[in-house]
Amino acid sequence: MSDTPKLYLNKAQLNAELNRCLNCKNQPCMTACPVNCNPHEFIRHALEGNFDQAVEAITRTNPMGQTCGLICPDKFCMAACTRRRIDFAVNIPKVQATILENYRKQTEVRLPPENGKRIAVVGAGPAGMAAAAELIKLGYLITVYEAAAQIGGALNLIPDSRLPHDVIEKDWSFIFNPERVTLRLNTRIDNVEKLLEKGFSGVIAAEGEPHCAVLNIPGEEHILPYTEYLAAPEKYRTEKPVAVIGGGAVAVDCAVTAKNNGSAQVKMFVRRQLSDMRITRGELDELLRSRIDITPMTSPVEVRKDNRGLSLRTVHNCFINDKLSPLPDSQTTYTGFACIIKAVGSFADKNVDSEQIFYAGDCKHGGSTIVEAIASGRSAAHMLHRNVSSKI
Ligand SMILES: Cc1cc2nc3c(=O)[nH]c(=O)nc-3n(C[C@H](O)[C@H](O)[C@H](O)COP(=O)(O)OP(=O)(O)OC[C@H]3O[C@@H](n4cnc5c(N)ncnc54)[C@H](O)[C@@H]3O)c2cc1C
Ligand code: SF4
């Protein structure tokens, strides 16, 4: 769509954003960042024209700064930004992404000598990549095992209009050091403990949340999980109506993708009220811009398939003593869908850290955000390092 927001700021917009920063001495933007990135610092450097230093300030704590800049939600640095009290927050993520897009250069990085220990990282999503980045700096040799054919994990499900895959590859190219890292794509690890028998001193398991939540309704086999839909939306291209069950950020991506993929009518069914939807202002704008039809306080009851397509029977919800309950005699049937997609959450298998194996990212903390997954990967790397280095 022509009015889709641009990914990066132009020169004038970047200057305007930089000049809106109030140079706050207490730097609330940094405190609010899960990886402790310091917008105050990189904005100061950029204002003085020192872009190399601005790049260094961003990448010091965030190895995936450009990817983060494009998709970080507004609930961290922007929510804490003092400028909000005057008008609206400095668009810190966009400033960050723009600086890295325009001014980051491949330079020779001086690494400490190898410490003779090998670490396996399972999963090349943000948590695994951040852990690898941290462990390289500590002198380890890293092997990253990734079940999929490409790096990026769940980031690859984000539509290209928000996050082109080459941005993930670009961040990775600054982490990847062929002398220290071996990347094994298309390699699923079924038992992380067995890696210790292969000579690894420790393992970071950053496997994400591979299982989609189940609705437990008749006809669920006709519903597409969001993972399948977003991995190959062109396969499901249709002009016919599409239904999306769910009201979070992933459901928004499904709905907007279906609309951009030609569907004349995309209906979103949301269990709670519109105000309960856990989406950012930007995501709400995207829904409105794409004219997605949102039906709140609605739960699916049954899906059926016949020669006219898929039909979805729903029930209306209401609050009884603050508890969400189905309203009696409120069932409605919607017909004629080409496709019904569910985006109602995901989960990981149970996992527990041990002395040599640390879990990180969404598989440990539940579905979160890229910057939280990066923070978790970094922290797991340091915990593992503490244990392994005590034996060096
Ligand atoms: C559609 C969608 C939109 C999103 N939008 C945003 C957003 O706008 N902003 C935001 O901050 N966050 C967003 N997120 C969330 C963000 O992508 C995740 O929080 C983040 O990717 C989690 O990182 P992770 O490394 O823990 O796991 P993942 O990214 O899930 O990566 C796990 C990796 O491990 C691999 N793996 C799993 N098991 C094995 C195994 N046994 N052997 C080898 N490899 C294995 C998987 O193939 C995968 O590549 C979105 C997520 C989705 C699905
Ligand atoms: S909180 Fe906002 S205004 Fe203050 S230093 Fe950070 S970016 Fe600038």
Side-chain angles (χ1 to χ4, degrees):
M1 261 180 298
S2 58
D3 54 355
T4 301
K6 297 258 182 308
L7 293 180
Y8 301 102
L9 303 171
N10 63 30
K11 213 166 178 182
Q13 290 167 327
L14 176 62
N15 264 330
E17 268 327 279
L18 293 173
N19 278 296
R20 291 181 63 244
C21 173
L22 300 170
N23 194 9
C24 313
K25 292 288 165 266
N26 57 345
Q27 303 166 11
C29 46
M30 179 178 85
T31 313
C33 176
V35 291
N36 255 36
C37 190
N38 189 344
H40 173 270
E41 184 188 352
F42 69 71
I43 289 174
R44 287 302 101 199
H45 287 314
L47 271 170
E48 288 158 14
N50 295 326
F51 285 100
D52 288 349
Q53 282 168 273
V55 168
E56 193 282 323
I58 298 167
T59 52
R60 195 188 311 138
T61 58
N62 192 341
M64 299 196 65
Q66 190 164 341
T67 309
C68 259
L70 293 185
I71 63 163
C72 228
D74 56 12
K75 65 180 181 178
F76 299 115
C77 55
M78 283 179 71
C81 180
T82 317
R83 182 80 209 201
R84 281 184 74 192
R85 295 196 209 141
I86 299 174
D87 43 20
F88 46 91
V90 177
N91 196 338
I92 300 165
K94 253 197 170 152
V95 168
Q96 176 173 310
T98 304
I99 291 174
L100 292 182
E101 169 69 4
N102 295 336
Y103 300 100
R104 184 163 47 164
K105 301 186 228 45
Q106 288 284 5
T107 49
E108 204 180 318
V109 183
R110 253 189 271 142
L111 291 173
E114 287 174 25
N115 66 20
K117 299 273 173 191
R118 291 166 61 223
I119 302 281
V121 172
V122 181
M129 289 198 259
E134 218 50 28
L135 290 162
I136 295 166
K137 288 193 242 162
L138 292 165
Y140 292 95
L141 288 176
I142 313 295
T143 303
V144 180
Y145 294 101
E146 169 53 57
Q150 58 181 355
I151 58 157
L155 300 177
N156 293 313
L157 299 177
I158 298 178
D160 255 26
S161 54
R162 289 209 295 126
L163 177 63
H165 180 78
D166 60 9
V167 176
I168 308 170
E169 294 284 354
K170 186 173 170 190
D171 274 337
W172 174 247
S173 74
F174 285 88
I175 298 171
F176 185 72
N177 178 322
E179 284 162 27
R180 301 285 172 100
V181 185
T182 307
L183 174 63
R184 298 239 182 275
L185 295 173
N186 299 306
T187 311
R188 174 171 295 281
I189 300 299
D190 289 323
N191 185 337
V192 290
E193 281 167 27
K194 286 229 162 101
L195 290 170
L196 299 177
E197 294 166 17
K198 291 191 175 173
F200 289 106
S201 303
V203 181
I204 299 287
E207 300 160 353
E209 289 189 308
H211 312 295
C212 274
V214 178
L215 292 164
N216 268 326
I217 58 171
E220 187 157 3
E221 66 277 13
H222 302 305
I223 301 181
L224 265 181
Y226 73 89
T227 40
E228 272 178 49
Y229 179 70
L230 289 175
E234 61 290 345
K235 219 166 104 183
Y236 306 100
R237 178 177 279 278
T238 178
E239 290 177 6
K240 294 190 178 147
V242 169
V244 177
I245 300 168
V250 176
V252 173
D253 273 340
C254 292
V256 173
T257 302
K259 193 73 189 217
N260 291 341
N261 239 345
S263 168
Q265 193 192 22
V266 180
K267 284 181 91 63
M268 239 174 123
F269 295 92
V270 181
R271 200 166 71 92
R272 298 174 66 96
Q273 291 165 321
L274 287 181
S275 54
D276 295 331
M277 286 174 74
R278 291 200 293 169
I279 57 175
T280 62
R281 177 74 228 185
E283 285 156 352
L284 179 61
D285 287 349
E286 191 69 36
L287 285 178
L288 299 177
R289 230 191 339 262
S290 304
R291 296 175 197 270
I292 305 297
D293 180 353
I294 307 170
T295 310
M297 298 296 279
T298 304
S299 292
V301 178
E302 184 182 14
V303 172
R304 284 191 182 190
K305 189 176 184 178
D306 61 24
N307 53 10
R308 286 174 305 154
L310 298 169
S311 65
L312 176 66
R313 191 154 57 86
T314 64
V315 65
H316 195 73
N317 297 322
C318 62
F319 283 104
I320 300 174
N321 296 330
D322 279 345
K323 197 171 164 279
L324 200 66
S325 314
L327 190 71
D329 301 324
S330 68
Q331 295 203 354
T332 309
T333 300
Y334 300 86
T335 58
F337 293 115
C339 180
I340 300 178
I341 305 158
K342 67 173 171 183
V344 290
S346 50
F347 60 95
D349 297 316
K350 253 195 150 57
N351 57 65
V352 184
D353 292 343
S354 65
E355 205 188 337
Q356 287 170 282
I357 302 174
F358 283 88
Y359 288 83
D362 280 7
C363 71
K364 177 156 188 182
H365 305 288
S368 62
T369 56
I370 177 170
V371 70
E372 289 167 294
I374 291 170
S376 169
R378 280 166 55 91
S379 140
H382 284 282
M383 288 190 288
L384 181 60
H385 171 59
R386 249 198 318 272
N387 289 355
V388 172
S389 59
S390 65
K391 291 183 183 147
I392 289 177

